[in-house]
Amino acid sequence: MRTVTVEVPEGHMVKIVKEESMQPTQKVMGGKFEFEGETFIPGDVIINPNRGGGSMMILSEIREERPLPFLPAIKVPFGLVAYVPSNDEGDRVFVRLTPEAGIGGMKGFRKATEEERAKMLAAMKEEKHYSFNFEKLQPEYTPTVGDVVIVWDDNSKENAVVGIMNEVDETSSPYKINDGTRYENCDKFVSEEQYKNLIDGKE
């Protein structure tokens, strides 16, 4: 934090045109976090029974944030995977490339039961072709015929291409796309930014 002292000549006023919090956003990552007497760690499936019919998230981190500089800080959950069972638009599972905030703060969230957790993981596999690696704490895509995918061979991500998955088999190059070519590796196409990061070696 940097402190700046400003001298104001007598008879003059100072107008504040932008006010920022003196405390930066804090992150709690890679360890335990206590909230209302309960301990959370990355990889926990958490649920808010009062939101979206029981919205759930696979927790990546919990951040302390201030919505506005003059309001008290709140704890906000962030995750790569979220599940909203009653979403009006149809999609219920959301997989992100970087952790995104849940709606609102941690208030109302608790650890999901094994039954609730299983429901979310089943919905992930059925609807979005993703499983979750709880050791690596990241989603893993299950290549599926008909999906728009990014494919590449080992050690040549810069030559990755985008296509439609036509076939998946057990060969050394198991992923065949719509132009008939086969590749060793595959990921689901999510965005142009994701593709650029892959070919630039940032993923």
Side-chain angles (χ1 to χ4, degrees):
M1 179 179 71
R2 186 178 64 159
T3 302
V4 178
T5 302
V6 179
E7 293 186 1
V8 182
E10 188 176 344
H12 291 73
M13 295 187 306
V14 173
K15 181 179 180 182
I16 298 174
V17 295
K18 183 178 182 182
E19 182 179 355
E20 295 183 352
S21 171
M22 299 300 284
Q23 293 184 340
T25 297
Q26 298 177 4
K27 294 185 181 181
V28 179
M29 301 179 63
K32 296 180 180 179
F33 181 82
E34 299 287 336
F35 184 79
E36 294 189 345
E38 191 165 8
T39 301
F40 298 89
I41 60 172
D44 279 345
V45 177
I46 60 175
I47 183 171
N48 189 330
N50 301 317
R51 185 177 297 153
S55 294
M56 285 185 264
M57 172 187 290
I58 300 178
L59 187 66
S60 295
E61 59 192 88
I62 297 173
R63 302 181 189 177
E64 185 175 274
E65 298 195 331
R66 293 181 184 275
L68 292 170
F70 52 84
L71 293 178
I74 62 171
K75 304 297 189 292
V76 180
F78 281 70
L80 293 168
V81 179
Y83 171 62
V84 184
S86 64
N87 185 37
D88 293 337
E89 296 178 3
D91 291 334
R92 298 188 297 161
V93 176
F94 302 89
V95 179
R96 309 300 186 193
L97 299 179
T98 56
E100 292 194 8
I103 300 172
M106 277 294 293
K107 189 74 173 176
F109 275 100
R110 60 166 171 79
K111 288 182 184 178
T113 65
E114 284 301 316
E115 183 179 353
E116 291 164 341
R117 183 176 183 270
K119 182 179 179 181
M120 176 180 180
L121 297 180
M124 283 179 60
K125 186 173 182 180
E126 178 183 347
E127 294 189 8
K128 294 295 181 182
H129 319 300
Y130 280 97
S131 60
F132 192 85
N133 187 319
F134 283 91
E135 292 183 3
K136 297 180 180 178
L137 295 178
Q138 64 185 27
E140 291 186 341
Y141 170 60
T142 302
T144 306
V145 172
D147 283 356
V148 178
V149 294
I150 304 172
V151 288
W152 71 95
D153 288 323
D154 285 338
N155 303 318
S156 62
K157 285 186 174 183
E158 68 275 6
N159 296 320
V161 299
V162 176
I164 298 174
M165 183 68 72
N166 269 10
E167 182 181 318
V168 181
D169 58 30
E170 300 296 326
T171 64
S172 59
S173 298
Y175 308 116
K176 180 181 177 183
I177 60 172
N178 55 296
D179 66 359
T181 55
R182 289 184 171 273
Y183 296 86
E184 298 171 13
N185 303 287
C186 170
D187 198 2
K188 193 174 192 307
F189 179 85
V190 177
S191 67
E192 185 176 350
E193 179 184 8
Q194 172 209 20
Y195 175 66
K196 288 180 178 178
N197 286 341
L198 182 80
I199 62 177
D200 290 342
K202 297 178 182 178
E203 290 193 0

